[in-house]
Amino acid sequence: MSSTEPSENKTPHLPEDYDTKISAVLPYYSFFHKETINLIKSLPSAPKIWMDTGCGTGSLVTKAIEQFPETRFLMLDPSEGMLEQAKEKLSLYTPDKVEFLRASPTQEFSQELDERPDVITAIQCHHYLSCENRARAVKKCYELLKEGGIFITFENISPLTEEGIAVGKRYLGDFQSNHERTEEEVAVHLARFGTEYLPITVEEHLKLLRETGFKTVELFWYSYMQAGFYCIK
């Protein structure tokens, strides 16, 4: 849910209020997790190792962990505060079930892993990055995965045209207003588009993922100005 770039990224919320605010900011946010889990459940076999980068407060893994009893989860986030919240949520689980990696942005991750992940998820965590560092982050996920492993990512995306961006902002703003965000809060969030967070188009996502080397690249979710992709190494 988060990935830090010192000169570019501003943490959208404090760790302790992230979960309560995000669903009023992003339409269908809970479905990002639900559909990610459903997609992984549809694989021929359950993953042995699942790495969640930009794990934030651990919400995705909290939902997934009981559905994958044989899976070991690796938790990565650039924010120590987010990781502390995730540790509290998952405190009932032993390190052989949930391992917390050293805090790091995806693109800077260098910790040695005992085994390559079968699955890497990155939910709403790379859209703060420059084009160069976004490419580095995706490449890092590709390199970490096992052959045949799957990378699943949801990101804010940019519509294809200036008019589309204007429509998308109004559409998203109406959603936020209907979820009790103030006029000022909505305006501040929409002003961050292209300044504090740097969305790219679906076409640009697909191109980047293919150029990274994934043999299969697919769009499987799209709503408002967010999209989900899965890729197989």
Side-chain angles (χ1 to χ4, degrees), residues 47-217:
K48 184 177 179 183
I49 307 292
W50 176 343
M51 179 178 179
D52 188 27
T53 186
C55 69
T57 65
S59 294
L60 172 60
V61 172
T62 300
K63 295 171 186 175
I65 196 164
E66 293 302 325
Q67 301 187 54
F68 296 89
E70 304 303 318
T71 300
R72 184 164 184 252
F73 293 88
L74 307 179
M75 311 290 285
L76 178 65
D77 198 272
S79 167
E80 294 280 6
M82 292 286 193
L83 288 173
E84 287 302 316
Q85 290 288 311
K87 287 175 183 177
E88 288 186 23
K89 281 187 181 179
L90 296 161
S91 61
L92 295 178
Y93 299 95
T94 57
D96 62 340
K97 182 64 176 176
V98 182
E99 178 183 355
F100 289 89
L101 303 169
R102 291 193 295 269
S104 172
T106 308
Q107 70 275 14
E108 303 293 344
F109 180 71
S110 60
Q111 189 173 341
E112 289 293 327
L113 301 180
D114 295 334
E115 190 172 353
R116 290 183 181 275
D118 309 276
V119 168
I120 296 178
T121 47
I123 311 301
Q124 293 294 123
C125 67
H126 292 153
H127 51 263
Y128 293 103
L129 302 179
S130 65
C131 289
E132 177 185 357
N133 278 335
R134 186 196 297 267
R136 288 177 60 209
V138 173
K139 184 69 171 177
K140 177 62 67 174
C141 292
Y142 177 84
E143 291 169 350
L144 289 170
L145 272 174
K146 285 181 179 176
E147 198 69 29
I150 186 168
F151 173 57
I152 302 171
T153 183
F154 277 77
E155 289 291 357
N156 292 336
I157 58 92
S158 175
L160 300 174
T161 63
E162 289 299 321
E163 186 172 9
I165 291 171
V167 170
K169 285 183 174 181
R170 290 196 300 271
Y171 188 32
L172 181 59
D174 286 348
F175 168 85
Q176 293 183 1
S177 295
N178 291 333
H179 285 75
E180 300 183 351
R181 301 276 284 176
T182 67
E183 185 176 334
E184 181 181 0
E185 287 173 327
V186 172
V188 167
H189 178 82
L190 296 180
R192 296 172 64 227
F193 181 98
T195 56
E196 289 188 23
Y197 70 91
L198 307 170
I200 61 176
T201 67
V202 166
E203 293 173 351
E204 289 169 326
H205 272 290
L206 295 171
K207 182 174 184 288
L208 169 61
L209 294 165
R210 292 185 189 113
E211 289 179 348
T212 299
F214 289 104
K215 66 180 181 181
T216 299
V217 175

